[in-house]
Amino acid sequence: MILPDSIQRLIDALSRLPGIGPKTASRLTFFLLRSPEELSRGLAQALLALKSETSTCRTCFNITEAGREECAVCANPEREAEVICVVEEPLDVLALERSGAYRGRYHVLHGVLSPIEGVGPDDLRIRELLERLRRGGVNEVILATNPSLEGDATAMYLRQQVEALGVRVTRLARGLPVGGDLEYADPNTLSRALLGRQEMP
Amino acid sequence: MILPDSIQRLIDALSRLPGIGPKTASRLTFFLLRSPEELSRGLAQALLALKSETSTCRTCFNITEAGREECAVCANPEREAEVICVVEEPLDVLALERSGAYRGRYHVLHGVLSPIEGVGPDDLRIRELLERLRRGGVNEVILATNPSLEGDATAMYLRQQVEALGVRVTRLARGLPVGGDLEYADPNTLSRALLGRQEMP
């Protein structure tokens, strides 16, 4: 049996998303097929609006509503301007904001250095970060790239560049995740937790 | 940080799909956000075409291209008209067709009997199946509902109805999946494989 064209097209389109293989794509397609039309139409409209209704903050390169020059954080005068937290992706900003533990500004690199994938410093928003620092007023840069090989390499590179401008550089702490189980922690995390041990308050 | 409206809407719409939680939905959304616009636009168009370009076969209730009265299998005179394979969903037709081992016709129930979810015989295409059989020309009905509690119950119910019309009823064999490992087979599958053991050819 050849599948109707429109079904095959949707399966193909869904398969292009990360983590969705052909099997999941066809399960989703047949789910939509037997669901009310509002469901697929709502999803289609949300997809079409995604790009047209968002833009990038001209200061920190986080995403923001279309038509706004600055994101909600940069536009908020109550956020500390002296601290910039550097992250890989807009999703990381969201995660940090959910923690409620950060009151400074952000800078979104939109990627990490990756020689294998051909991503160099010019492909990230590094130049713009250094320009922000040169304008003055910032006394700490928190490097919050992922605790991965590439995230660490990017942090090392940024550390040199930022320290050359006389700005203090810090990196997010490594250790046991809160609520985690020591028994299941991987050896690297455990060594970092030991190295970073602190006096109890 | 409050997410831009259009991003939150897409995360919500994706979260409504089965097997996609809020975390996966936001990962997919941010993936689409940094991908070329063609990707999200193509997906949106495929979604909009899904319902408008498909219809249901009037004979077997499989899905087919809009404007066609019969699906590709029913319209194919080379498919054996004497055997009807009864399945739960259009996806099951696809799976059987991929096997290349079946040359008969199908009948899609669009669900299974489920007292808990309030699905009774009138909610499935059972009446239409019995009408097809009454028209004559069919000498075997293969029950290919899932090997689950509800699939088995539906098969039991259909067996009575179909046998009452004097038509032979069979059920797909249970046993070890090809390429599977005896060591990892569950006890039920193993008992069925033992019960259904056959002389070697």
Side-chain angles (χ1 to χ4, degrees):
Chain A
M1 184 185 69
I2 304 141
L3 273 178
D5 239 22
S6 56
I7 292 180
Q8 191 60 56
R9 273 206 309 276
L10 183 55
I11 294 176
D12 293 345
L14 287 168
S15 306
R16 259 172 240 129
L17 300 177
I20 296 190
K23 284 221 165 174
T24 308
S26 70
R27 201 157 30 79
L28 291 174
T29 299
F30 281 90
F31 167 81
L32 287 166
L33 203 59
R34 61 172 184 270
S35 303
E37 193 168 357
E38 290 78 68
L39 200 68
S40 39
R41 207 188 298 126
L43 186 52
Q45 280 159 353
L47 282 162
L48 293 171
L50 182 66
K51 296 271 180 170
S52 61
E53 294 181 13
T54 51
S55 74
T56 305
C57 174
R58 65 168 180 183
T59 307
C60 75
F61 300 95
N62 190 9
I63 38 142
T64 183
E65 317 260 359
R68 292 221 193 139
E69 294 203 318
E70 287 199 316
C71 71
V73 175
C74 288
N76 183 350
E78 289 178 14
R79 303 292 297 232
E80 294 167 15
E82 302 77 33
V83 191
I84 291 180
C85 180
V86 179
V87 296
E88 295 180 15
E89 302 290 348
L91 262 183
D92 303 326
V93 174
L94 198 62
L96 284 160
E97 287 296 293
R98 281 205 192 107
S99 79
Y102 184 62
R103 296 296 306 154
R105 311 290 176 108
Y106 291 97
H107 193 87
V108 183
L109 296 173
H110 288 275
V112 270
L113 295 177
S114 169
I116 294 165
E117 292 180 37
V119 181
D122 294 340
D123 301 310
L124 307 177
R125 298 296 189 172
I126 293 177
R127 195 171 44 83
E128 290 87 346
L129 171 66
L130 301 175
E131 273 165 24
R132 277 178 84 179
L133 299 177
R134 275 190 209 101
R135 265 179 258 137
V138 177
N139 54 37
E140 181 178 356
V141 167
I142 303 172
L143 298 177
T145 51
N146 284 328
S148 64
L149 216 66
E150 289 169 341
D152 283 341
T154 308
M156 295 277 268
Y157 177 85
L158 288 173
R159 179 196 177 168
Q160 289 185 319
Q161 306 278 314
V162 174
E163 282 182 344
L165 297 174
V167 178
R168 184 181 168 216
V169 176
T170 57
R171 181 114 172 84
L172 289 189
R174 311 288 178 96
L176 296 173
V178 177
D181 205 329
L182 198 132
E183 189 180 343
Y184 298 119
D186 66 289
N188 280 327
T189 300
L190 269 180
S191 351
R192 297 300 292 256
L194 276 168
L195 274 172
R197 68 188 182 279
Q198 288 163 341
E199 303 288 339
M200 288 170 72
Chain B
M1 184 185 69
I2 303 140
L3 274 178
D5 239 23
S6 57
I7 292 181
Q8 192 59 56
R9 273 206 309 275
L10 183 55
I11 294 176
D12 292 345
L14 287 168
S15 306
R16 259 171 240 131
L17 300 177
I20 296 190
K23 282 222 166 174
T24 308
S26 72
R27 202 158 29 80
L28 291 174
T29 299
F30 281 90
F31 167 82
L32 287 165
L33 202 60
R34 60 172 185 269
S35 303
E37 194 168 355
E38 290 79 69
L39 201 67
S40 37
R41 207 188 296 125
L43 186 52
Q45 281 158 353
L47 282 162
L48 293 172
L50 182 66
K51 296 271 180 169
S52 62
E53 294 181 14
T54 51
S55 73
T56 305
C57 174
R58 63 167 182 185
T59 306
C60 76
F61 300 94
N62 190 9
I63 39 141
T64 182
E65 316 261 356
R68 292 223 193 139
E69 294 205 316
E70 288 200 314
C71 71
V73 174
C74 289
N76 183 350
E78 289 179 15
R79 302 292 297 234
E80 294 166 16
E82 301 78 31
V83 191
I84 292 180
C85 180
V86 179
V87 296
E88 294 179 16
E89 300 290 347
L91 261 183
D92 303 326
V93 174
L94 198 62
L96 284 161
E97 287 297 291
R98 281 206 191 105
S99 79
Y102 184 62
R103 297 294 307 152
R105 311 289 175 109
Y106 291 98
H107 194 87
V108 183
L109 296 174
H110 288 276
V112 269
L113 294 177
S114 169
I116 295 165
E117 293 182 35
V119 181
D122 294 340
D123 301 310
L124 307 177
R125 298 297 189 172
I126 292 178
R127 194 172 44 83
E128 290 88 345
L129 171 66
L130 301 176
E131 272 165 25
R132 278 178 82 179
L133 298 177
R134 275 191 208 100
R135 266 178 258 138
V138 178
N139 53 38
E140 182 178 354
V141 167
I142 303 172
L143 298 177
T145 51
N146 284 329
S148 63
L149 215 65
E150 289 168 340
D152 283 341
T154 309
M156 294 277 269
Y157 177 86
L158 287 173
R159 181 197 176 168
Q160 289 185 318
Q161 306 278 316
V162 174
E163 281 183 344
L165 297 173
V167 178
R168 183 181 168 216
V169 176
T170 57
R171 182 114 173 82
L172 289 189
R174 311 288 179 96
L176 296 173
V178 176
D181 205 327
L182 198 130
E183 190 180 341
Y184 298 118
D186 65 290
N188 281 327
T189 300
L190 270 179
S191 350
R192 298 299 293 254
L194 275 167
L195 274 172
R197 66 190 184 278
Q198 288 164 341
E199 302 288 339
M200 289 171 71

